[in-house]
Amino acid sequence: MTATAIALAVAWTTEEIKVAGSSVRLRSAGRGAPLLVLHHDIGTPEQLPLYESLARRFTVLLPSHPGYDGSERPAWMRGVRDVAVTYQALLAARGVAEASILGLGFGGWIAAEMATMAPRGFRRIVLVGAMGLKPSTGEILDQALVSYIEYVRAGFADQSAFERQFGADPSTPQLEQWDLNREMTFRIAWKPYMYNPTLPHLLAGVPTPTLVVWGREDRIVPPGCAEQYARALPAARVVQLDGAGHFVDMEQPDTLAKLVAQFVTES
Amino acid sequence: MHLMYFTEQPMSAYPEDEGRKRGATALMFSNRHFDPVAGSRLYNEYIEHYRLAEEVGFDGIMLNEHHNAPFCMQAKCNVFASILAAITRRVKIVLLGNPLPLADNPVRLAEELAMIDMVSRGRLVSGFVRGGGQEQLATGVNPAFNRERFEEAHELIVRAWTQQGPFRFEGTHYQHRVVNPWAVPLQKPHPRVWIPGVLSKETIIWAARQRYPYIALSTAIDATKKIWELYDSVAAEAGYTGGPENRGYLQRCHVAETEEKALANARQFMWMQGEFTGLAHPVWSSPSGYFSPSYRKAFVEYAVGRGSNPRAASFEDQIRDQQIIAGTPKTVLPKFRRLLEETRPSILGLWASDGFVSNQDATTCIRLLGQEVLPAVREMGKELGLWSPFEANSPVSITQPAPAVHRNGA
């Protein structure tokens, strides 16, 4: 390994933290202001270029949602707000104050719920293609009706980006992981599917500056939801990205990392 | 033996080419292809088939239900059970069964079943099922809680039948302020419960623990024997000995005047298994959380076309394995003897026709079964000691005794 590579490598630690009735697997890395990163409903690969970039600017806290990616399943959980409460307890247990939060897709929904629970609890919020609101037009793509591969592919504007990440023909262990994550998603977000009808009302109480990022080619959550979030949140603005789908984090990691770093660090 | 007649009630009057074009004929195959004029005709033909089945000597009529698919027109088995309760006089009405997890109010199911039992003068056999995977999607019920809902709804229904109300029920999935239905079953301690299944070991184990007869649905003979091995071992743990009165077997059997015609019609049993019109999308038939984790690898591989359907076999294989029996009354009898000798069930369902078999051929099949097959099979049953739960007057469940009054002899 060259000196440069050593300097660039980010050291990640993994912990199991007992909190609020769950055992949360938390990976963390980096230095600086705390940034809680919440992954998609499909789970997350162990590492992504986005995470590496963010860890150079922030102390990144990257939990696996309880029951996802092989983490212990809390059989009692029944809703996305249960996950949000769990993460609030996690931050409290770690003594993290003034964190910023980056919510990706389904993780964006969890982030929005967390914000409604502690309206002054976050420094900045970034929501990317966030679920959680009932779209005014169109519907959130229902993964119950499509195969694992179809669903994930639908989240990429650029299919070569999908193939770079998962291969043209994802492995059977990958499919099993998606099935496991899908099962957990069903357990907590089956009906109404991928939104909470009370959320838009509660968001009105969140004064936190929020950046709403959306891929213009998001085929999982209709891009019109960006404006719905911006209307519901008192201090939100929208950035739409060309050539990106739902998984902006995997398609345009550099662009997203820059947007996050700039928005979160600006005063 | 208890010999039952069964049909899936195929909705055969739909444009087959549209099904082929869509590549699947379940869940999302548009109901714009459903013709209610043909539907009305078919329902009434099926009612005539049931009347005939009683007339020619069947002991029971087995009903089931499915949703959003042409392979079964019954969207609610309690509707046909109600009809049969009024228009038949002797046959048992065997529901295999009501899909419990789909019910948001199991007390209502308990009421409907009690009504059917009273109207039929105590002829109800109330089977329960989990419902197929796509049934969960068709009714919007969470597949991840399928088994929990099944077990909890079952508990609530049996209590509603046997425990005097009013009482309160606070479950995980069902909460009821007041359980006090003014309709309770005529049969005491309660109608018999039989549990049908195909694949899930968990269901076999559950049925054996309850001491409910398990009805193997069109499984191959060897697979069926393995089911009984498992059932009997669980029965032994539960403190009783499994035997023919705990065993049911549904097998497809089409008879006709000639071997050729019987085989041609029997091929229609494959009509919804990919040979003619294609199956459901695999993720519809096995939504995440519906199957036990031990099947996860097999199903994800099947879902992306990497593995074969764990439940599909070719027509020729199914004929060879006697999952489909076809022939003249004379040629099918040795096959039944083999089936009975090897698997020793006391409850035998005959699924007589499917798909596009004509009304005339379906009717002939029922008549031939009644006149020439059933009497011989009944004799085999006697010879082999295959006494049905009614003949053996076996306990209704692990906790409930045999009925004090033995109403219908069959």
Side-chain angles (χ1 to χ4, degrees), chain B residues 1-4 192-195 211-216 224 227-229 231-232 235 240-250 339-349 377-378 380-395:
Chain B
M1 290 209 79
H2 182 80
L3 301 170
M4 307 184 291
R192 288 183 182 276
V193 174
W194 298 351
I195 303 296
R211 203 171 180 169
Y212 289 153
Y214 182 86
I215 317 298
T224 309
I227 290 173
W228 304 144
E229 272 171 34
Y231 188 105
D232 291 351
Y240 71 99
T241 306
E245 74 273 18
N246 306 104
R247 300 174 179 181
Y249 204 172
L250 173 71
L339 185 146
L340 296 183
E341 283 178 350
E342 292 206 30
T343 66
R344 298 187 55 77
S346 72
I347 300 159
L348 183 64
V377 170
R378 224 182 274 290
M380 291 178 206
K382 280 183 192 155
E383 179 198 324
L384 296 168
L386 306 178
W387 309 117
S388 76
F390 307 108
E391 292 161 326
N393 202 29
S394 55

Side-chain angles (χ1 to χ4, degrees), chain A residues 73 75 77-78 144-150 169-172 175-176 178-180 182-183 186-187 190-191, chain B residues 27-28 136-137 140-145 148 172-173 281 283-284 287-289 296-297 300-301 303-304 306:
Chain A
R73 174 192 289 172
M77 267 195 187
R78 287 295 184 277
L145 301 177
V146 296
S147 83
Y148 320 99
I149 297 175
E150 282 173 274
D169 197 17
S171 69
T172 294
L175 299 179
E176 288 179 79
W178 282 338
D179 184 66
L180 187 76
R182 184 180 277 199
E183 178 175 348
F186 287 171
R187 292 178 73 92
W190 175 256
K191 197 156 73 171
Chain B
L27 191 68
M28 305 283 278
Q136 320 300 313
L137 300 173
V141 170
N142 197 331
F145 299 120
E148 289 179 24
T172 305
H173 298 280
H281 193 306
V283 298
W284 302 344
S288 300
R296 198 182 300 276
K297 183 164 183 285
V300 298
E301 293 196 321
V304 297
R306 206 170 283 169

